[in-house]
Amino acid sequence: MRFALVCLGGAAGTGARYLLGGLLIRWLGADFPYGTLLVNLIGSFLIGLVQHLALTALVVPEGLRVVLAVGVLGGFTTYSAFAYESLRLAADGAWGEAVLYVGLTTMLCFGACLLGIAAGRLVAGS
């Protein structure tokens, strides 16, 4: 049952990301990724809020935390999980690991994206 709820939450988060991104493109244009930036900021804020309320303040039940954090926010943006995990490492005093995680994630994801573009160019013959 939890799996189905996470999947439904993911669909809701994905739909919200699509709608918000499209709205910002209409309002502000497509020259800068305003939609993605706003989605990542909102998602980062919300995952911090949900995780704190669930894991520290204990006011959000575990099942709801999973649906919101993994499902809805996972569908909305995975950047939210990255932000929370980085801050959690730092809060636990693991500054070296936090810096390493941020650096590796940023550089490796940029590199993976570049490789994906290159593979797409190769497949498309352009």
Side-chain angles (χ1 to χ4, degrees), residues 7-86:
C7 290
L8 288 173
T14 301
R17 179 179 65 219
Y18 174 78
L19 291 174
L20 182 58
L23 184 65
L24 288 176
I25 286 173
R26 278 192 304 244
W27 287 350
L28 302 173
D31 294 337
F32 186 84
Y34 296 106
T36 301
L37 178 60
L38 185 58
V39 160
N40 285 337
L41 290 171
I42 291 169
S44 295
F45 171 79
L46 290 176
I47 200 167
L49 177 66
V50 168
Q51 295 287 65
H52 178 79
L53 292 175
L55 301 174
T56 305
L58 304 175
V59 296
V60 173
E62 176 62 11
L64 181 57
R65 180 193 72 82
V66 170
V67 170
L68 291 174
V70 177
V72 176
L73 295 173
F76 192 63
T77 174
T78 57
Y79 192 82
S80 58
F82 166 73
Y84 177 78
E85 292 163 351
S86 299

